Amino acid sequence: MSLDESELRSHLMDLVGIRSPIVAAALLQLVVELRLAEVLDTKGLERIKEAIVAAAVQRRPSHRFAADFEMEVRAKLDRLIAGSEARKG
């Protein structure tokens, strides 16, 4: 079964730990637009990602190890942002 772009984005945002789809979509779009306008540099993007990862790790399921969960969240967040930038660029 293949997921369309919207379903994939929703699924990845949920896995990353961003629960509100409206806030998640807005944040993702804002990051992409700021990157395309060259207002947000790589260091700024990394700080945003670090804040998201830290919040997700704090709210992780109790049965998950923090290090494993953090690595998974980072990978999925990178995939989300890279995919969105590729579609816009």
Side-chain angles (χ1 to χ4, degrees), residues 21-31:
I22 294 169
V23 172
L27 174 63
L28 184 59
Q29 187 63 39
L30 179 61
V31 166

Side-chain angles (χ1 to χ4, degrees), residues 2-85:
S2 177
L3 296 175
D4 69 21
E5 182 179 318
S6 175
E7 290 171 324
L8 178 61
R9 182 183 300 168
S10 177
H11 180 66
L12 288 172
M13 285 187 290
D14 188 49
L15 288 173
V16 167
I18 303 173
R19 300 290 181 218
S20 170
I22 294 169
V23 172
L27 174 63
L28 184 59
Q29 187 63 39
L30 179 61
V31 166
V32 170
E33 295 297 333
L34 290 173
R35 295 277 293 164
L36 290 173
E38 298 180 2
V39 173
L40 180 63
D41 64 5
T42 302
K43 288 181 182 181
L45 176 61
E46 289 304 315
R47 288 189 298 272
I48 291 169
K49 289 180 353 185
E50 287 302 316
I52 293 169
V53 169
V57 169
Q58 283 183 332
R59 294 183 8 219
R60 77 184 185 285
S62 59
H63 67 280
R64 299 288 308 272
F65 291 110
D68 294 340
F69 188 76
E70 180 178 337
M71 206 164 59
E72 181 181 337
V73 168
R74 280 182 197 287
K76 290 176 179 169
L77 186 57
D78 287 342
R79 184 174 169 200
L80 259 176
I81 292 171
S84 294
E85 285 182 337

